[in-house]
Amino acid sequence: MDHLGTVPLQTRRLMLRRLTFDDCRTMFDHWAGDPQVTRYLRWNAHRDWTVTAEYLYEMEKCYADPTVYNWGICLQDGTLIGTIGVVRAERAAAEGWQTLPDALRGTEIWEPGYALGRPWWGRGYATEALQAVLDFWFNRVDGPWLSICHAVENPASGRVIQKNGFLYDHDAVYHKYDGTPVPCRAYYKIKPIKEM
């Protein structure tokens, strides 16, 4: 793989860019402080904007690492509405996979994840942002595959995943950072083969 880090990406309606410390109030107000947004995420809602500020302070330092992929999702007018990223999975590469090709079982697992403020739900923004990240991952980073999961109780996220061509593989239980178990559905997508 050719790790490139968090480079700017653009779609028809969105701009994906690095987050900055200056985004802390907007990020907190638009989604990080909203328990309804973070309900199915691994992290809990931030108690106040200073928690978001601490996170962004650390994130700005992480951007020097070319294996860090964490974008702010912005509308064309610059309004920051969410985040999307790709991270290394914490679990073993072969754990639980049933239909994943054998050739990929020993490779690193990378997973996209996203969060979007409630005022922008149901408008196709998450689907569009994920498509941009998939294009980048497969065509520029040259990643061989990605895994992804969603909470069973969050079928809207499942629709985003399915619209982007991920294949369902198995049910699993993942855990929030505080240890809370979350029943999930796991999917994968293999790098498309380019036609001649």
Side-chain angles (χ1 to χ4, degrees), residues 23-39 41 43-49 51-53 55-56 81-83 115-118:
D23 293 320
C24 66
R25 288 279 191 170
T26 303
M27 180 173 172
F28 177 78
D29 291 342
H30 286 185
W31 74 92
D34 186 343
Q36 285 188 266
V37 173
T38 63
R39 180 178 175 190
L41 301 180
W43 48 277
N44 294 318
H46 295 173
R47 70 181 177 278
D48 59 47
W49 70 269
V51 176
T52 310
Y55 166 78
L56 290 175
I81 64 171
T83 53
L116 208 61
R118 276 189 290 150

Side-chain angles (χ1 to χ4, degrees), residues 19-159:
L19 295 162
T20 71
F21 182 80
D22 292 338
D23 293 320
C24 66
R25 288 279 191 170
T26 303
M27 180 173 172
F28 177 78
D29 291 342
H30 286 185
W31 74 92
D34 186 343
Q36 285 188 266
V37 173
T38 63
R39 180 178 175 190
Y40 302 114
L41 301 180
R42 292 195 174 165
W43 48 277
N44 294 318
H46 295 173
R47 70 181 177 278
D48 59 47
W49 70 269
T50 61
V51 176
T52 310
E54 290 172 14
Y55 166 78
L56 290 175
Y57 177 76
E58 294 302 321
M59 179 50 59
E60 280 191 309
K61 293 190 280 187
C62 292
Y63 282 132
D65 182 342
T67 66
V68 169
Y69 300 98
N70 189 27
W71 293 269
I73 303 170
C74 299
L75 302 178
Q76 290 293 344
D77 67 4
T79 304
L80 181 64
I81 64 171
T83 53
I84 188 165
V86 180
V87 298
R88 281 189 184 99
E90 297 175 6
R91 58 191 183 281
E95 179 188 332
W97 295 104
Q98 298 177 20
T99 63
L100 184 71
D102 289 340
L104 297 174
R105 289 180 185 262
T107 61
E108 276 189 314
I109 298 178
W110 289 80
E111 297 178 318
Y114 43 84
L116 208 61
R118 276 189 290 150
W120 300 280
W121 287 0
R123 300 184 188 187
Y125 293 133
T127 300
E128 190 170 329
L130 181 56
Q131 183 59 62
V133 169
L134 293 176
D135 290 345
F136 170 76
W137 186 260
F138 291 130
N139 296 320
R140 294 177 63 190
V141 176
D142 199 27
W145 72 292
L146 286 169
S147 74
I148 197 167
C149 68
H150 70 85
V152 171
E153 294 181 3
N154 187 9
S157 189
R159 288 190 291 276

